Amino acid sequence: GAVVSQHPSRVICKSGTSVKIECRSLDFQATTMFWYRQFPKQSLMLMATSNEGSKATYEQGVEKDKFLINHASLTLSTLTVTSAHPEDSSFYICSARGESSYTSPLHFGNGTRLTVT
Amino acid sequence: KQEVTQIPAALSVPEGENLVLNCSFTDSAIYNLQWFRQDPGKGLTSLLLIQSSQREQTSGRLNASLDKSSGRSTLYIAASQPGDSATYLCAVEWRSQGNLIFGKGTKLSVKP
């Protein structure tokens, strides 16, 4: 089945630094990847839609200058949290679909636990 | 506003019981509905995907139903096992670009 790999699984950084999270589709090409954020005991909330070769589409309330998304190839999207602050501590998950059709399921990475101290 | 609600928030059952998790959604014009499993601190595992034209899907001990007109879906787990303990998330896609809207999940605990 389709596999999405996310790295790192866990990262601790100091306030003010930047952190990059990678999301790779291992056995399929994904023209579109999605970045979600999950606070403790809360739903997953879509942050942005990453499109290969073009600018990401951000959801309302998500700062595009803070959460930089790059989707340079059909198998890799990156999310960079810039100038991280403690309130950015959260669980970030990416997902991708092997086919550009709503009839196929979205596959998710294992997530990245970000802790900003 | 498109929202997904899951009831109950938490459920504890003894091993072997059959159980039902509920999901309701506003706006019946969905593309599909998907059930996921999430283990603590982990990502999501897709369990079942029901397209808008379907009424149910089955995989092993899991059966998911969909009633678009009433805005409801249920996930039925037969003969529950301790390994089924996890949070189960219901998610609905209303746009064709994969924007899933998730419920808050039902945390299931199956006691041996």
Side-chain angles (χ1 to χ4, degrees), chain A residues 15-50:
Chain A
S15 186
T17 61
S18 295
V19 174
K20 179 183 286 188
I21 302 170
E22 293 187 348
C23 179
R24 294 180 184 272
S25 55
L26 297 186
D27 53 358
F28 64 98
Q29 293 184 331
T31 55
T32 304
M33 291 184 176
F34 306 92
W35 287 96
Y36 289 82
R37 179 174 182 176
Q38 185 180 35
F39 290 106
K41 298 183 180 180
Q42 297 295 318
S43 296
L44 276 76
M45 298 297 293
L46 180 69
M47 297 176 65
T49 301
S50 169

CSV table of all heavy atoms in Angstrom, one decimal, chain A residues 15-50:
chain,number,residue,atom,x,y,z
A,15,SER,N,13.4,28.3,21.5
A,15,SER,CA,12.6,29.4,21.0
A,15,SER,C,13.4,30.3,20.1
A,15,SER,O,14.6,30.6,20.5
A,15,SER,CB,12.0,30.2,22.2
A,15,SER,OG,11.1,31.2,21.7
A,16,GLY,N,12.9,30.6,19.0
A,16,GLY,CA,13.6,31.5,18.1
A,16,GLY,C,14.3,30.8,16.9
A,16,GLY,O,14.7,31.4,15.9
A,17,THR,N,14.5,29.5,17.1
A,17,THR,CA,15.1,28.7,16.0
A,17,THR,C,14.1,28.2,15.0
A,17,THR,O,12.9,28.3,15.2
A,17,THR,CB,15.9,27.5,16.6
A,17,THR,OG1,15.0,26.7,17.3
A,17,THR,CG2,17.0,28.0,17.6
A,18,SER,N,14.6,27.7,13.9
A,18,SER,CA,13.7,27.1,12.9
A,18,SER,C,13.8,25.6,12.8
A,18,SER,O,14.9,25.1,13.0
A,18,SER,CB,14.0,27.8,11.5
A,18,SER,OG,13.7,29.2,11.5
A,19,VAL,N,12.7,25.0,12.4
A,19,VAL,CA,12.7,23.5,12.4
A,19,VAL,C,12.1,23.1,11.0
A,19,VAL,O,11.0,23.6,10.6
A,19,VAL,CB,11.9,22.9,13.5
A,19,VAL,CG1,11.7,21.4,13.4
A,19,VAL,CG2,12.5,23.3,14.9
A,20,LYS,N,12.7,22.2,10.4
A,20,LYS,CA,12.2,21.7,9.1
A,20,LYS,C,11.7,20.2,9.3
A,20,LYS,O,12.4,19.4,9.8
A,20,LYS,CB,13.3,21.7,8.0
A,20,LYS,CG,12.8,21.1,6.7
A,20,LYS,CD,13.9,21.1,5.6
A,20,LYS,CE,14.3,22.4,5.1
A,20,LYS,NZ,15.2,22.4,4.0
A,21,ILE,N,10.5,20.0,8.8
A,21,ILE,CA,9.9,18.7,8.8
A,21,ILE,C,9.7,18.2,7.4
A,21,ILE,O,9.2,18.9,6.5
A,21,ILE,CB,8.5,18.7,9.5
A,21,ILE,CG1,8.7,19.3,10.9
A,21,ILE,CG2,7.9,17.3,9.6
A,21,ILE,CD1,7.4,19.6,11.6
A,22,GLU,N,10.1,16.9,7.1
A,22,GLU,CA,10.0,16.4,5.8
A,22,GLU,C,8.9,15.4,5.7
A,22,GLU,O,8.6,14.6,6.6
A,22,GLU,CB,11.3,15.7,5.4
A,22,GLU,CG,12.5,16.6,5.2
A,22,GLU,CD,13.7,15.9,4.6
A,22,GLU,OE1,13.7,14.7,4.6
A,22,GLU,OE2,14.7,16.6,4.3
A,23,CYS,N,8.2,15.4,4.5
A,23,CYS,CA,7.2,14.4,4.2
A,23,CYS,C,7.4,13.8,2.9
A,23,CYS,O,7.5,14.5,1.9
A,23,CYS,CB,5.8,15.1,4.3
A,23,CYS,SG,4.4,14.0,3.9
A,24,ARG,N,7.6,12.5,2.8
A,24,ARG,CA,7.9,11.8,1.6
A,24,ARG,C,6.9,10.8,1.2
A,24,ARG,O,6.5,10.0,2.1
A,24,ARG,CB,9.3,11.2,1.7
A,24,ARG,CG,10.5,12.1,1.8
A,24,ARG,CD,11.8,11.4,1.9
A,24,ARG,NE,12.9,12.3,2.1
A,24,ARG,CZ,13.6,12.9,1.1
A,24,ARG,NH1,13.2,12.7,-0.1
A,24,ARG,NH2,14.5,13.7,1.4
A,25,SER,N,6.5,10.7,0.0
A,25,SER,CA,5.7,9.6,-0.5
A,25,SER,C,6.7,8.6,-1.0
A,25,SER,O,7.5,8.9,-2.0
A,25,SER,CB,4.7,10.0,-1.6
A,25,SER,OG,5.4,10.7,-2.6
A,26,LEU,N,6.7,7.4,-0.4
A,26,LEU,CA,7.8,6.4,-0.8
A,26,LEU,C,7.5,5.6,-2.0
A,26,LEU,O,8.5,5.2,-2.7
A,26,LEU,CB,8.0,5.5,0.4
A,26,LEU,CG,8.5,6.2,1.7
A,26,LEU,CD1,8.8,5.1,2.8
A,26,LEU,CD2,9.7,7.0,1.5
A,27,ASP,N,6.3,5.3,-2.3
A,27,ASP,CA,6.1,4.4,-3.4
A,27,ASP,C,5.0,4.9,-4.4
A,27,ASP,O,4.4,4.1,-5.1
A,27,ASP,CB,5.7,3.0,-2.9
A,27,ASP,CG,4.5,3.1,-1.9
A,27,ASP,OD1,4.0,4.2,-1.6
A,27,ASP,OD2,4.1,2.0,-1.5
A,28,PHE,N,4.8,6.2,-4.3
A,28,PHE,CA,3.9,6.8,-5.3
A,28,PHE,C,4.2,8.3,-5.4
A,28,PHE,O,4.9,8.9,-4.6
A,28,PHE,CB,2.4,6.6,-4.8
A,28,PHE,CG,2.1,7.4,-3.6
A,28,PHE,CD1,1.5,8.6,-3.6
A,28,PHE,CD2,2.4,6.8,-2.3
A,28,PHE,CE1,1.2,9.3,-2.4
A,28,PHE,CE2,2.1,7.4,-1.1
A,28,PHE,CZ,1.5,8.7,-1.2
A,29,GLN,N,3.7,8.9,-6.5
A,29,GLN,CA,3.9,10.3,-6.7
A,29,GLN,C,2.7,11.1,-6.2
A,29,GLN,O,1.6,10.7,-6.5
A,29,GLN,CB,4.2,10.6,-8.2
A,29,GLN,CG,5.5,10.0,-8.7
A,29,GLN,CD,5.7,10.3,-10.2
A,29,GLN,OE1,4.8,10.5,-10.9
A,29,GLN,NE2,7.0,10.4,-10.5
A,30,ALA,N,3.0,12.1,-5.5
A,30,ALA,CA,1.9,12.9,-4.9
A,30,ALA,C,2.0,14.4,-5.4
A,30,ALA,O,2.9,15.1,-4.9
A,30,ALA,CB,2.0,12.8,-3.4
A,31,THR,N,1.2,14.7,-6.3
A,31,THR,CA,1.2,16.1,-6.7
A,31,THR,C,0.7,17.1,-5.6
A,31,THR,O,1.0,18.2,-5.6
A,31,THR,CB,0.3,16.3,-8.0
A,31,THR,OG1,-1.0,15.9,-7.7
A,31,THR,CG2,0.9,15.6,-9.1
A,32,THR,N,-0.1,16.5,-4.7
A,32,THR,CA,-0.6,17.3,-3.6
A,32,THR,C,-0.4,16.6,-2.3
A,32,THR,O,-0.7,15.4,-2.1
A,32,THR,CB,-2.1,17.5,-3.8
A,32,THR,OG1,-2.4,18.1,-5.1
A,32,THR,CG2,-2.7,18.5,-2.7
A,33,MET,N,0.1,17.4,-1.3
A,33,MET,CA,0.3,16.9,0.0
A,33,MET,C,-0.4,17.9,1.0
A,33,MET,O,-0.5,19.0,0.6
A,33,MET,CB,1.8,16.7,0.4
A,33,MET,CG,2.4,15.6,-0.4
A,33,MET,SD,4.1,15.3,0.2
A,33,MET,CE,4.6,13.9,-0.7
A,34,PHE,N,-0.8,17.4,2.1
A,34,PHE,CA,-1.5,18.2,3.1
A,34,PHE,C,-0.8,18.2,4.4
A,34,PHE,O,-0.3,17.2,4.9
A,34,PHE,CB,-2.9,17.7,3.2
A,34,PHE,CG,-3.7,17.5,1.9
A,34,PHE,CD1,-3.6,16.3,1.3
A,34,PHE,CD2,-4.4,18.6,1.4
A,34,PHE,CE1,-4.3,16.1,0.1
A,34,PHE,CE2,-5.0,18.4,0.2
A,34,PHE,CZ,-5.0,17.2,-0.5
A,35,TRP,N,-0.8,19.3,5.0
A,35,TRP,CA,-0.1,19.5,6.4
A,35,TRP,C,-1.2,19.8,7.4
A,35,TRP,O,-2.0,20.7,7.2
A,35,TRP,CB,0.9,20.6,6.4
A,35,TRP,CG,2.2,20.2,5.6
A,35,TRP,CD1,2.5,20.4,4.3
A,35,TRP,CD2,3.2,19.4,6.2
A,35,TRP,NE1,3.7,19.9,4.0
A,35,TRP,CE2,4.2,19.2,5.1
A,35,TRP,CE3,3.5,18.8,7.4
A,35,TRP,CZ2,5.4,18.5,5.3
A,35,TRP,CZ3,4.7,18.1,7.6
A,35,TRP,CH2,5.6,18.0,6.5
A,36,TYR,N,-1.3,18.9,8.4
A,36,TYR,CA,-2.2,19.1,9.5
A,36,TYR,C,-1.5,19.3,10.8
A,36,TYR,O,-0.3,19.0,11.0
A,36,TYR,CB,-3.0,17.8,9.7
A,36,TYR,CG,-4.1,17.6,8.6
A,36,TYR,CD1,-3.7,17.0,7.4
A,36,TYR,CD2,-5.4,17.9,8.7
A,36,TYR,CE1,-4.6,16.7,6.4
A,36,TYR,CE2,-6.3,17.7,7.8
A,36,TYR,CZ,-5.9,17.1,6.6
A,36,TYR,OH,-6.9,16.8,5.6
A,37,ARG,N,-2.2,19.9,11.7
A,37,ARG,CA,-1.7,20.2,13.1
A,37,ARG,C,-2.7,19.7,14.1
A,37,ARG,O,-3.9,19.8,13.9
A,37,ARG,CB,-1.5,21.7,13.2
A,37,ARG,CG,-0.9,22.1,14.6
A,37,ARG,CD,-0.7,23.6,14.5
A,37,ARG,NE,-0.1,24.1,15.8
A,37,ARG,CZ,0.3,25.3,16.0
A,37,ARG,NH1,0.2,26.2,15.0
A,37,ARG,NH2,0.8,25.7,17.1
A,38,GLN,N,-2.2,19.1,15.1
A,38,GLN,CA,-3.0,18.5,16.2
A,38,GLN,C,-2.6,18.9,17.5
A,38,GLN,O,-1.5,18.6,18.0
A,38,GLN,CB,-3.1,17.0,16.1
A,38,GLN,CG,-4.1,16.3,17.0
A,38,GLN,CD,-4.1,14.8,16.9
A,38,GLN,OE1,-3.1,14.2,16.6
A,38,GLN,NE2,-5.2,14.2,17.0
A,39,PHE,N,-3.4,19.6,18.3
A,39,PHE,CA,-3.2,20.0,19.6
A,39,PHE,C,-3.7,18.8,20.5
A,39,PHE,O,-4.6,18.1,20.1
A,39,PHE,CB,-3.8,21.3,20.0
A,39,PHE,CG,-3.2,22.5,19.4
A,39,PHE,CD1,-3.8,23.1,18.3
A,39,PHE,CD2,-2.0,22.9,19.8
A,39,PHE,CE1,-3.2,24.2,17.7
A,39,PHE,CE2,-1.4,24.0,19.2
A,39,PHE,CZ,-2.0,24.7,18.2
A,40,PRO,N,-3.2,18.7,21.7
A,40,PRO,CA,-3.6,17.6,22.6
A,40,PRO,C,-5.1,17.5,22.8
A,40,PRO,O,-5.8,18.5,23.0
A,40,PRO,CB,-2.9,17.9,23.9
A,40,PRO,CG,-1.7,18.7,23.6
A,40,PRO,CD,-2.1,19.5,22.3
A,41,LYS,N,-5.7,16.4,22.6
A,41,LYS,CA,-7.1,16.1,22.7
A,41,LYS,C,-7.9,16.9,21.8
A,41,LYS,O,-9.1,17.1,22.1
A,41,LYS,CB,-7.5,16.3,24.2
A,41,LYS,CG,-6.8,15.3,25.1
A,41,LYS,CD,-7.3,15.5,26.6
A,41,LYS,CE,-6.5,14.6,27.5
A,41,LYS,NZ,-7.0,14.7,28.9
A,42,GLN,N,-7.4,17.3,20.7
A,42,GLN,CA,-8.1,18.1,19.7
A,42,GLN,C,-8.1,17.4,18.3
A,42,GLN,O,-7.4,16.5,18.1
A,42,GLN,CB,-7.5,19.5,19.5
A,42,GLN,CG,-7.6,20.3,20.8
A,42,GLN,CD,-9.0,20.7,21.2
A,42,GLN,OE1,-9.9,21.0,20.4
A,42,GLN,NE2,-9.3,20.5,22.5
A,43,SER,N,-9.0,17.9,17.5
A,43,SER,CA,-9.0,17.4,16.1
A,43,SER,C,-7.7,17.7,15.3
A,43,SER,O,-7.1,18.7,15.7
A,43,SER,CB,-10.2,17.9,15.4
A,43,SER,OG,-11.4,17.5,15.9
A,44,LEU,N,-7.5,17.0,14.3
A,44,LEU,CA,-6.5,17.5,13.3
A,44,LEU,C,-7.1,18.7,12.5
A,44,LEU,O,-8.2,18.6,12.1
A,44,LEU,CB,-6.1,16.4,12.3
A,44,LEU,CG,-5.1,15.3,12.8
A,44,LEU,CD1,-5.7,14.4,13.7
A,44,LEU,CD2,-4.6,14.6,11.6
A,45,MET,N,-6.3,19.7,12.4
A,45,MET,CA,-6.7,20.9,11.7
A,45,MET,C,-5.8,21.0,10.4
A,45,MET,O,-4.6,21.1,10.6
A,45,MET,CB,-6.6,22.1,12.6
A,45,MET,CG,-7.5,22.0,13.8
A,45,MET,SD,-9.3,21.9,13.4
A,45,MET,CE,-9.5,23.5,12.6
A,46,LEU,N,-6.4,21.2,9.3
A,46,LEU,CA,-5.6,21.4,8.1
A,46,LEU,C,-5.0,22.8,8.2
A,46,LEU,O,-5.6,23.8,8.4
A,46,LEU,CB,-6.5,21.4,6.8
A,46,LEU,CG,-5.8,21.6,5.5
A,46,LEU,CD1,-4.9,20.4,5.2
A,46,LEU,CD2,-6.9,21.8,4.4
A,47,MET,N,-3.6,22.8,7.9
A,47,MET,CA,-2.9,24.0,7.9
A,47,MET,C,-2.7,24.6,6.5
A,47,MET,O,-3.0,25.7,6.2
A,47,MET,CB,-1.5,23.8,8.5
A,47,MET,CG,-1.4,23.4,9.9
A,47,MET,SD,0.2,23.0,10.4
A,47,MET,CE,1.0,24.7,10.3
A,48,ALA,N,-2.4,23.7,5.6
A,48,ALA,CA,-2.1,24.1,4.2
A,48,ALA,C,-2.1,22.9,3.3
A,48,ALA,O,-1.9,21.8,3.7
A,48,ALA,CB,-0.7,24.8,4.2
A,49,THR,N,-2.3,23.3,2.0
A,49,THR,CA,-2.2,22.3,0.9
A,49,THR,C,-1.0,22.6,0.1
A,49,THR,O,-0.8,23.7,-0.3
A,49,THR,CB,-3.5,22.4,0.1
A,49,THR,OG1,-4.6,22.1,0.9
A,49,THR,CG2,-3.4,21.3,-1.1
A,50,SER,N,-0.1,21.6,0.0
A,50,SER,CA,1.1,21.7,-0.7
A,50,SER,C,1.0,21.2,-2.1
A,50,SER,O,0.7,20.0,-2.3
A,50,SER,CB,2.2,21.0,0.1
A,50,SER,OG,3.4,20.9,-0.6
